[in-house]
Amino acid sequence: MKKIVVLTGAGISAESGIKTFRDADGLWEGHDVMEVASPQGWEKNMGLVLDFYNQRRKQLLQVSPNAAHKSLVELEENFDVSIITQNIDDLHERAGSSKVVHLHGELLKARSTFDEKLVMDWKQDIKPGDFCEHNFQLRPHVVWFGEAVPMFEIAGKITEEADILIVIGTSMQVYPAASLVHFVKPETPIYFIDPKPNIKPSKYLNIIPETAVKGVPKLVADLKERS
C-alpha cells in the first residue's frame, strides 16, 4: 500500500468548534500566550495556567470530529495512513484514525513535573495539589514555547517515508513542525488544503483553496478513485 502522511493544524479542529491557537491580536482567550503556554508562565502563575487548560479540556469534551477528520479515516481503506498533528485535541482518534502522532502533546493527558515520561490519561480538571506518584505537581501534557518537541524526530522519519503528503489547516509557520514538508522525497506529490493559502502551486504542490470540511472529503474521494 502507498503511504500517505497527513500534517494537520488548527484549521481542521476549528471547524469542530475548537478555538484556534490565537486571535489576530496575538492573544489566546484574552491572555498573552507566554502567560499560559511557557515554563515561565507556569512558574509565575501555576493556577492561571491550570485554569486555562482546564477550560480548554472542558471545551474539547463538548465537541465532535467533523467531516474532515472522518474522511481521513476512509483513506485507511486504500492506503497506509499516518497523521502528524500540531493539535492537542483527540478528534483524529475519536474519528477512528489508527496512527496519530501529536507533536505538541495531548490535552487529555497529564504529566509529572518531576519525570516528563510519567504521563497519564486525564479528562478532569488538573488542580494544585494533584500530585504524581513521586509527590510532584501534575501539569498539562502539552509542549510549551521554549520546550523541546520530543515527537519531532519520529514525525520526521514518518514523513520521509511518504508517497503522498497532505497538509491541512496549518499555515506551516510554526517551527519545527513547518520544516516537516522538507523531509519528503523529491517529486513527492503534496496537497495543501487551506481556505487562504499562503503559497503558490508548483509541479508537485497542489493547492486546494477550501476549508478542511469541504476540501478533505473531495481529495479523499479523488485519491481513493485513483488508487
Side-chain angles (χ1 to χ4, degrees), residues 110-226:
R111 80 166 184 252
S112 167
T113 51
F114 172 72
D115 179 2
E116 65 182 27
K117 292 188 174 67
L118 187 53
V119 179
M120 57 210 77
D121 293 332
W122 200 276
K123 288 191 174 180
Q124 65 267 38
D125 287 355
I126 303 176
K127 299 183 288 293
D130 283 334
F131 291 162
C132 72
E133 60 199 54
H134 303 290
N135 291 316
F136 281 80
Q137 175 66 41
L138 294 177
R139 57 163 275 183
H141 182 49
V142 174
V143 176
W144 289 331
F145 286 101
E147 293 185 323
V149 182
M151 297 302 291
F152 182 77
E153 190 174 339
I154 290 168
K157 287 177 179 172
I158 292 170
T159 308
E160 285 174 353
E161 298 169 359
D163 296 305
I164 298 170
L165 181 69
I166 304 173
V167 182
I168 307 166
T170 171
S171 63
M172 299 310 288
Q173 301 295 309
V174 178
Y175 285 84
S179 63
L180 284 173
V181 294
H182 304 301
F183 280 67
V184 295
K185 299 182 289 285
E187 303 180 8
T188 300
I190 301 174
Y191 296 89
F192 186 85
I193 301 174
D194 194 278
K196 296 178 181 175
N198 57 358
I199 52 177
K200 290 184 169 61
S202 60
K203 186 176 180 182
Y204 298 105
L205 176 60
N206 306 276
I207 307 293
I208 301 171
E210 302 260 21
T211 63
V213 164
K214 287 184 179 177
V216 175
K218 288 180 188 173
L219 175 60
V220 166
D222 184 43
L223 291 172
K224 287 178 70 176
E225 193 175 305
R226 287 191 276 144

Side-chain angles (χ1 to χ4, degrees), residues 35 40-53 113 126-131 137-140 144:
E35 290 179 357
Q40 296 85 352
W42 174 256
E43 292 294 328
K44 181 180 173 184
N45 194 338
M46 179 182 75
L48 174 69
V49 176
L50 288 177
D51 180 64
F52 177 81
Y53 287 97
T113 51
I126 303 176
K127 299 183 288 293
D130 283 334
F131 291 162
Q137 175 66 41
L138 294 177
R139 57 163 275 183
W144 289 331

Side-chain angles (χ1 to χ4, degrees), residues 56 61 84:
R56 307 283 76 70
L61 294 171
I84 300 168

